[in-house]
Amino acid sequence: MRALVGCDFSSATSKQKTSVLAWGESSGSAVRLKRSHAQRDALVDDASGDLLDATLCLLQTAWGYRQHLAGAAQFGLPLHRDPLEGWIVSA
């Protein structure tokens, strides 16, 4: 069992951006979000989408890590890619 964390910065307009975290676990071929009922409700009620972004980051991290464990170079990103472009793991 491996612990996973997804992180996103809030979309608040203030200069201080808070980070939003999602927690999960990876075991074998499964990824499981660890959340309480209150956290699930917060995810659904978050109009900014910050919690959803953090959760998607968690799942993308899990995918990239599994690619790495399976022997894929660069966590599954294309080997021949433009180094000036930003890339999202699993996209």
Side-chain angles (χ1 to χ4, degrees):
M1 189 77 58
R2 297 189 187 280
L4 300 170
V5 178
C7 179
D8 186 50
F9 292 99
S10 75
S11 57
T13 56
S14 69
K15 291 183 179 180
Q16 292 184 349
K17 298 280 188 181
T18 58
S19 58
V20 182
L21 298 176
W23 300 92
E25 293 178 340
S26 173
S27 176
S29 63
V31 174
R32 184 172 68 104
L33 293 177
K34 293 178 69 173
R35 51 149 178 82
S36 66
H37 291 290
Q39 289 169 323
R40 182 205 57 194
D41 292 344
L43 177 66
V44 172
D45 294 337
D46 178 24
S48 71
D50 291 331
L51 289 173
L52 179 59
D53 286 347
T55 302
L56 292 173
C57 178
L58 169 76
L59 296 173
Q60 291 170 313
T61 300
W63 182 87
Y65 185 67
R66 287 171 193 272
Q67 296 297 310
H68 173 72
L69 290 178
Q74 303 178 33
F75 298 90
L77 291 172
L79 294 177
H80 304 290
R81 64 183 189 278
D82 186 344
L84 300 177
E85 292 291 329
W87 286 81
I88 298 173
V89 171
S90 78

